[in-house]
Amino acid sequence: MVSATRARRPGKATSLAAQRRRSALIAWVFVAPFVLTFGTFGLIPLVSSLAMAFTDLRARDIRTPFNVDFVGIANFVTVLTDESFLRALRNTLFFVVLGVPATLFIALVLAVLLNSVSRRVATFFRVSYYIPVITTIVAVAVVWRLMYQDTGVINTILGTVGINGPNWLSDPNTALVAITVMAIWRNIGGSMVIFLAGLQSIPSEVNEAASIDGAGARQKFFRVTIPMMMPTILLNTILLTTGYMQFFDEPFVMTNGGPLESTTSIALQVYNQFKYGNYSVGAAGAYVLFALVGILAIIQFRFFRQRT
């Protein structure tokens, strides 16, 4: 009987191995469409653009790719010393520094307010604030461009209180601020929903214990709610920073980078380089943007890690 059992063990092992191979094959069949799509439209262009950044490839070299020369980091030096790119960098950082804190603050305040009302009221306002997020950015930009005109809604409202509003998008001093305000308005809804989910995940027992200890509403907010919301705040900060660093549609549709390049972003600058046929310089600019986003993400992770 023992010998019979030993004789069956190799067969069982073979059967288990065959089942594992079959399961792995089925898994790869389901994963294959994503792998092929990502490899074709993601990985290959990513590697190609990185290689392109170290060459002198231009539009005229497309038909003769073997005439392209390796230039090392010359394209990155060109990008980092180009006055137009540096101006685009300043515009982008201004957009991030103004937009991210304002969006986080307004979204958190709205989330706290909605968390204190009934579910039906909260659902109505949550949907209302989230509609701009799912609306096409081109449509939103076109509407806001009309609102910012001399005779638009904003200047009409300012005129009722005796303020003569400027032509917002035609003045280099106000164009970037106007675009930033529109971006803040559009992104509040998404951040608010994430904050609301974070608030609702805080156990009610924690707030009850704080109340028993004599903590007021303000103390509970800053000593309980904010510390427990740090992971959610980190998530929102990174999402907003990454999105704002790559802002492109707003200036492209509303001002095309003008006036006087006052609203040109890094992403728009990279797009213009490709449009003008400077493929290698455009690729280098894209990787500079990638590096900046990565550096900011690392800084934010370390900053919030010390407070969690």
Side-chain angles (χ1 to χ4, degrees):
M1 184 174 181
V2 175
S3 61
T5 303
R6 290 178 177 175
R8 285 197 299 269
R9 284 179 180 174
K12 289 183 178 180
T14 304
S15 177
L16 289 174
Q19 290 179 2
R20 291 174 181 173
R21 287 195 297 269
R22 190 180 303 111
S23 299
L25 178 61
I26 294 173
W28 275 108
V29 169
F30 282 103
V31 172
F34 168 78
V35 173
L36 292 174
T37 303
F38 174 74
T40 304
F41 300 102
L43 187 59
I44 294 176
L46 184 67
V47 175
S48 301
S49 62
L50 180 59
M52 187 189 307
F54 295 95
T55 67
D56 60 352
L57 180 68
R58 293 180 57 85
R60 63 174 180 267
D61 299 319
I62 295 298
R63 294 184 178 181
T64 57
F66 293 105
N67 292 335
V68 175
D69 297 322
F70 177 78
V71 296
I73 63 172
N75 292 322
F76 293 93
V77 174
T78 300
V79 167
L80 295 175
T81 56
D82 180 51
E83 183 59 33
S84 295
F85 183 86
L86 295 178
R87 188 179 299 109
L89 175 60
R90 289 193 294 268
N91 294 337
T92 303
L93 292 178
F94 175 87
F95 187 78
V96 172
V97 170
L98 179 61
V100 173
T103 306
L104 288 174
F105 175 76
I106 298 173
L108 181 58
V109 170
L110 291 175
V112 171
L113 293 176
L114 292 181
N115 194 45
S116 61
V117 300
S118 65
R119 179 176 297 181
R120 181 173 298 179
V121 174
T123 301
F124 171 77
F125 282 101
R126 185 168 54 194
V127 172
S128 300
Y129 281 110
Y130 197 74
I131 286 177
V133 179
I134 61 177
T135 304
T136 306
I137 180 61
V138 175
V140 173
V142 169
V143 171
W144 276 80
R145 186 175 62 185
L146 295 175
M147 293 171 57
Y148 278 133
Q149 289 181 350
D150 280 335
T151 57
V153 174
I154 295 177
N155 282 351
T156 301
I157 295 175
L158 293 175
T160 59
V161 294
I163 299 176
N164 186 19
N167 190 350
W168 297 91
L169 299 179
S170 298
D171 188 346
N173 298 317
T174 59
L176 186 58
V177 175
I179 292 179
T180 305
V181 170
M182 186 272 288
I184 293 172
W185 171 84
R186 184 174 183 270
N187 288 282
I188 285 174
S191 299
M192 181 197 68
V193 170
I194 296 176
F195 278 139
L196 190 58
L199 289 170
Q200 293 174 350
S201 67
I202 298 176
S204 58
E205 294 82 2
V206 178
N207 286 318
E208 292 173 0
S211 299
I212 293 174
D213 291 338
R218 182 177 180 180
Q219 290 177 319
K220 286 192 292 185
F221 180 75
F222 287 103
R223 299 293 181 87
V224 178
T225 302
I226 293 299
M228 297 194 70
M229 286 280 291
M230 277 300 173
T232 307
I233 296 174
L234 172 62
L235 172 63
N236 254 334
T237 302
I238 292 200
L239 290 176
L240 287 173
T241 303
T242 303
Y244 280 19
M245 283 292 293
Q246 302 177 74
F247 86 112
F248 168 82
D249 302 276
E250 297 91 338
F252 179 75
V253 176
M254 299 178 71
T255 61
N256 197 25
L260 302 176
E261 296 185 339
S262 61
T263 60
T264 300
S265 64
I266 298 179
L268 184 57
Q269 178 72 9
V270 170
Y271 168 82
N272 288 334
Q273 291 295 332
F274 277 94
K275 182 174 68 173
Y276 300 144
N278 302 324
Y279 298 152
S280 56
V281 176
Y287 277 96
V288 169
L289 175 59
F290 173 78
L292 291 174
V293 172
I295 292 171
L296 288 176
I298 293 173
I299 293 173
Q300 290 165 348
F301 266 112
R302 292 191 175 183
F303 176 81
F304 283 98
R305 183 184 299 172
Q306 297 174 355
R307 287 158 176 78
T308 56

